[in-house]
Amino acid sequence: MPTLSKRYGSNQRWLLKALREVAHEVQQLTWGLDESILTRRPPPEAGLREDWSILEIVGFLRDSEAEDLRAVQAICDRSGAPLPERRAHLGPGEQRYRLEEFRDLLYGFASLREELLWTLQWAGSAWDHRGLHRHRGAIPLDQFVHEINERDLEAMWSLRRLCEAAPARSGRRQA
């Protein structure tokens, strides 16, 4: 099976644009939603892969971004840097986000995304570096970033579905 970098090429500008746009869309979709909508989990028949609420998806994105930023920084610093296991997907199941303010989760994700974009913008020759995962082996930086983008797209799909299912008039806070 070809690596992602061979399948997609290493169009770094496209990747950076895609990562930037997801952060903006998450903010646009979710800002101003009522607390009851943010914490509502979809019914099983909704066909979503996970039964996470909007709050939990944004919390997952924030925690994933923190993990991925550390990994990208390590790869940029040194080719062959060890990559830890990703664990952010466990957060919603542990009900980690129930006591957090939604705006803090959203701001945390947006801030970390800006830092990730800044790191990648200035990566230069580090785009040729690889991280080493104990089960997956060597992972090129561009493949790792493509995986971040694929995770984002899956989360966006779930967010859109949840936002579309929200009541139209009561779904937004009144200014």
Side-chain angles (χ1 to χ4, degrees):
M1 181 174 141
T3 65
L4 283 173
S5 59
K6 288 180 183 173
R7 195 165 74 197
Y8 294 116
S10 64
N11 190 341
Q12 293 140 9
R13 273 191 285 165
W14 178 87
L15 278 170
L16 294 173
K17 182 179 185 295
L19 293 175
R20 188 172 291 110
E21 287 176 358
V22 164
H24 291 296
E25 188 161 351
V26 168
Q27 291 171 345
Q28 287 178 334
L29 276 174
T30 62
W31 188 254
L33 291 176
D34 290 335
E35 185 73 23
S36 63
I37 292 172
L38 292 172
T39 57
R40 182 182 304 145
R41 288 187 164 192
E45 64 273 5
L48 299 173
R49 184 184 67 85
E50 300 287 350
D51 61 348
W52 298 348
S53 67
I54 292 170
L55 179 97
E56 291 167 325
I57 292 170
V58 172
F60 161 73
L61 285 170
R62 185 210 49 196
D63 290 355
S64 293
E65 200 70 14
E67 291 176 347
D68 293 337
L69 175 61
R70 285 189 300 272
V72 165
Q73 289 171 333
I75 295 169
C76 287
D77 287 345
R78 180 176 65 89
S79 190
L83 297 176
E85 293 294 323
R86 289 176 164 157
R87 302 189 47 79
H89 65 280
L90 300 174
E94 296 170 350
Q95 297 185 357
R96 187 180 306 165
Y97 310 116
R98 293 281 181 200
L99 300 176
E100 294 195 51
E101 290 289 327
F102 179 75
R103 68 177 175 261
D104 293 339
L105 294 172
L106 188 60
Y107 178 77
F109 169 63
S111 299
L112 290 164
R113 177 53 56 98
E114 282 302 315
E115 193 171 348
L116 178 71
L117 288 166
W118 183 258
T119 301
L120 292 169
Q121 187 81 33
W122 294 98
S125 63
W127 279 97
D128 296 327
H129 290 185
R130 299 171 181 273
L132 288 178
H133 189 274
R134 67 182 187 165
H135 299 297
R136 297 174 56 201
I139 302 172
L141 178 60
D142 62 337
Q143 178 179 335
F144 193 83
V145 176
H146 274 290
E147 291 172 8
I148 294 170
N149 184 56
E150 289 175 1
R151 179 217 50 225
D152 284 354
L153 294 175
E154 187 173 333
M156 285 305 306
W157 183 80
S158 294
L159 281 173
R160 281 188 193 123
R161 295 274 308 261
L162 288 169
C163 289
E164 288 170 5
R169 298 276 301 144
S170 64
R172 300 267 175 199
R173 291 183 187 132
Q174 299 299 319

